[in-house]
Amino acid sequence: LVHGALDYDWDFVALCGPLFFITGALLATGRAPLRLGREYAWVAVVVLVAWAGLYSIAAPRVAAARVNDSFAQLDRGDVEQAARTAKSAHSLNPLSIAPLEAWAAAEEADGKIARARELYVEAVDLQPLNWAAWYELGRFDCEVLGDEDAARRELGRAHELDPHNDAILQALPACTA
C-alpha cells in the first residue's frame, strides 16, 4: 500500500509542476499577503512531503548503484564489503529483489551457504510472481546445494512465470542431468 502510494508517475510532476507553480503565483499577485502567525505545522508538513518525494525518487536509484557496486566488489574479491554494500542497498529499497540477490551472492562467496539460501528464499517471498527470484533460487539449489528435486520445482515455477526465457530453458535440463 505504501509503495503503491509513493510509486507515482513523477514525469507528470516534473512537467506540470512548474506550470502550476507559475499559475498559482500569477493568481496570487495583487492580493494581500496572508499572515501565518505561529502555524509552523504546515511548514513541517510541506518539508516532510518534499523530503518523502525526493527520497522516493532517489532511494531506488542509489540502491541500484549500490547493487552494481556490490557485484563489482565481489569481482575484486572483497566479499565482506560486497555483503555490506548489498545490505545497504536492501535497506534503501526493501521492495526490490536485486539487493537480496547481490547480498546472497556475497554470502555464497563467503561460504555462508545457509544464509545465502535464506536470502534467495526471502527474494522469492518478497516477489513470488517474479521469475528471476525463482530462477536464482533454483540455480542456487542445483549448482551449490545439489538438491535437484528442489531445483526442478523452483526452475519449473520460473518457467511457468516466463515460459519463453532461454536461461530457464537451459538451466532445467542441466539440473536434471
Side-chain angles (χ1 to χ4, degrees):
L1 178 64
V2 172
H3 189 265
L6 295 177
D7 189 18
Y8 182 76
D9 189 1
W10 291 103
D11 294 337
F12 174 79
V13 175
L15 182 65
C16 295
L19 174 70
F20 290 143
F21 178 77
I22 291 170
T23 303
L26 290 175
L27 289 173
T29 305
R31 294 185 182 188
L34 298 174
R35 294 209 173 232
L36 293 178
R38 295 186 178 236
E39 296 190 25
Y40 296 112
W42 287 106
V43 174
V45 168
V46 168
V47 169
L48 203 61
V49 167
W51 178 86
L54 288 173
Y55 183 82
S56 70
I57 292 170
R61 287 173 173 76
V62 173
R66 288 190 183 171
V67 166
N68 292 338
D69 291 346
S70 177
F71 282 119
Q73 291 161 348
L74 271 177
D75 289 342
R76 290 192 306 266
D78 193 357
V79 176
E80 290 178 13
Q81 183 61 38
R84 282 193 299 272
T85 303
K87 187 176 180 180
S88 170
H90 178 62
S91 70
L92 284 170
N93 193 359
L95 300 176
S96 173
I97 64 168
L100 288 172
E101 290 173 349
W103 189 2
E107 296 292 353
E108 181 182 340
D110 199 24
K112 299 175 182 171
I113 303 302
R115 180 65 180 140
R117 187 167 195 292
E118 288 173 7
L119 291 167
Y120 285 122
V121 169
E122 187 177 335
V124 167
D125 290 342
L126 182 63
Q127 295 185 12
L129 298 179
N130 188 334
W131 71 269
W134 286 100
Y135 172 78
E136 290 298 328
L137 179 59
R139 181 211 54 84
F140 180 83
D141 281 347
C142 179
E143 295 175 6
V144 177
L145 297 181
D147 187 349
E148 292 179 7
D149 292 334
R152 227 182 341 267
R153 279 192 313 273
E154 294 148 2
L155 291 172
R157 180 65 180 140
H159 182 65
E160 288 173 13
L161 293 170
D162 190 1
H164 303 291
N165 191 310
D166 290 337
I168 300 168
L169 293 174
Q170 292 172 359
L172 271 168
C175 219
T176 58

